[in-house]
Amino acid sequence: MPRTPVGRGIAGQLVFLGTGTSVGVPVIGCGCAVCRGDDPRNRRTRCGLAVGLPEGTLLVDTPTDLRTQLLREDIGLAHAVLYTHEHADHLFGLDDVRLFPFALGGALPIYCEPAVERRIRKSFDYCFPDADGPQPLSTVPRLAFHTIGEEPFDALGERVVPIRLRHGSLGVLGFRFGDVAYCTDTNGIPDASWPLLAGLDVLVLDALRPAPHPTHFSLDEAIEVARRVGARRTLFTHMTHDLDHAATNAALPQGMELAYDGLQIPLT
Ligand SMILES: [Zn+2]
Ligand SMILES: [Zn+2]
Ligand SMILES: [Zn+2]
């Protein structure tokens, strides 16, 4: 068996690994038409992206479904991870990166805010054994933290612009790569963040479901935000089983559509 790392290569592309809310779609034990139907675009794994940057593949979040997502899309290895926030659906696939440092020849770079690092050190404490204590018997993910905030930074040869977003009472980050912005898990855009969304080609935005929610934009709220941002194309993500892909898309304003797992768009 060849051991050379493989993958189809996604340079200059953004791939939606998952577009579902925290429980995914289908929902376990649900008999609704969306969960039971056969439209593959209604199969939504937990939210995350793979972004093909000049120096490698960047994961935005490590969703619970990470392993199956990377295999499904034939992404191959990733070279760094960037976190929006520390909620379990965006984080708990982190153990699946344990193989990457072998191929990369060093610890995997992790770009995140201090709160996310604290959550990782607590939830994945086996990755950080005491130097003078017993070492783990099996391989654990080797991670190298890079603290980020609201200042732009470089990752894998690309300028990344963080965008502060409100997610209920939590402050989370969206990210802008060129003229493409990814804003998941939000129900509020602070005044200072609006200029960062100017002149977008593509806006990816949280649109949970038709009904209001305390920490996510409803579909109507997301449409209103998308209109104000005015991107050429808006793709909604982090959706529940309350949104049937075909029926919802048919009713959306021009230039707006639901994303789906496996959707690929060029970075502009
Ligand atoms: Zn989420
Ligand atoms: Zn359902
Ligand atoms: Zn969240």
Side-chain angles (χ1 to χ4, degrees):
M1 289 283 284
R3 284 181 167 261
T4 311
V6 294
R8 65 185 163 96
I10 58 164
Q13 302 288 315
L14 181 157
V15 179
F16 287 85
L17 295 178
T19 58
T21 191
S22 57
V23 296
V25 181
V27 177
I28 295 170
C30 182
C32 82
V34 169
C35 289
R36 294 279 165 162
D38 55 11
D39 185 341
R41 297 167 304 178
N42 282 334
R43 305 211 162 267
R44 301 177 180 129
T45 58
R46 268 59 74 87
C47 241
L49 298 179
V51 187
L53 298 180
E55 295 172 8
T57 297
L58 177 73
L59 298 180
V60 179
D61 294 331
T62 51
T64 326
D65 302 299
L66 185 64
R67 175 177 173 275
T68 49
Q69 292 168 334
L70 293 175
L71 291 171
R72 185 194 71 212
E73 299 302 325
D74 191 21
I75 299 292
L77 297 167
H79 302 85
V81 179
L82 171 61
Y83 282 105
T84 59
H85 67 307
E86 65 270 33
H87 281 163
D89 50 324
H90 298 256
L91 177 59
F92 277 11
L94 179 61
D95 190 73
D96 288 343
V97 307
R98 69 164 79 172
L99 289 172
F100 299 176
F102 290 108
L104 301 180
L108 184 69
I110 304 285
Y111 295 87
C112 65
E113 293 197 276
V116 180
E117 179 175 342
R118 282 196 296 275
R119 169 52 57 193
I120 291 173
R121 288 185 181 279
K122 194 168 177 183
S123 298
F124 297 85
D125 62 346
Y126 61 91
C127 299
F128 308 98
D130 293 336
D132 49 359
Q135 294 304 295
L137 293 176
S138 59
T139 304
V140 299
R142 283 184 290 149
L143 311 173
F145 287 104
H146 299 259
T147 303
I148 61 168
E150 295 175 14
E151 293 301 312
F153 60 95
D154 292 320
L156 299 178
E158 175 84 10
R159 195 76 169 155
V160 182
V161 180
I163 303 165
R164 177 62 68 203
L165 304 170
R166 301 308 307 173
H167 182 28
S169 61
L170 192 67
V172 304
L173 290 178
F175 300 106
R176 180 169 179 155
F177 308 91
D179 286 336
V180 176
Y182 182 63
C183 299
T184 188
D185 289 67
T186 180
N187 65 331
I189 301 176
D191 289 345
S193 296
W194 283 95
L196 303 175
L197 298 168
L200 281 181
D201 185 48
V202 177
L203 169 66
V204 182
L205 185 64
D206 186 345
L208 186 76
R209 63 185 190 188
H213 187 277
T215 64
H216 295 272
F217 283 131
S218 68
L219 185 60
D220 282 348
E221 289 168 340
I223 290 170
E224 198 179 310
V225 170
R227 280 208 174 99
R228 182 170 162 192
V229 170
R232 180 185 63 83
R233 184 182 188 191
T234 299
L235 294 160
F236 297 122
T237 192
H238 210 290
M239 296 161 291
T240 72
H241 63 163
D242 297 311
L243 296 173
D244 175 67
H245 187 92
T248 307
N249 257 357
L252 285 176
Q254 196 174 8
M256 301 184 199
E257 56 198 296
L258 303 190
Y260 54 88
D261 287 25
L263 173 65
Q264 180 169 317
I265 61 170
L267 284 175
T268 52

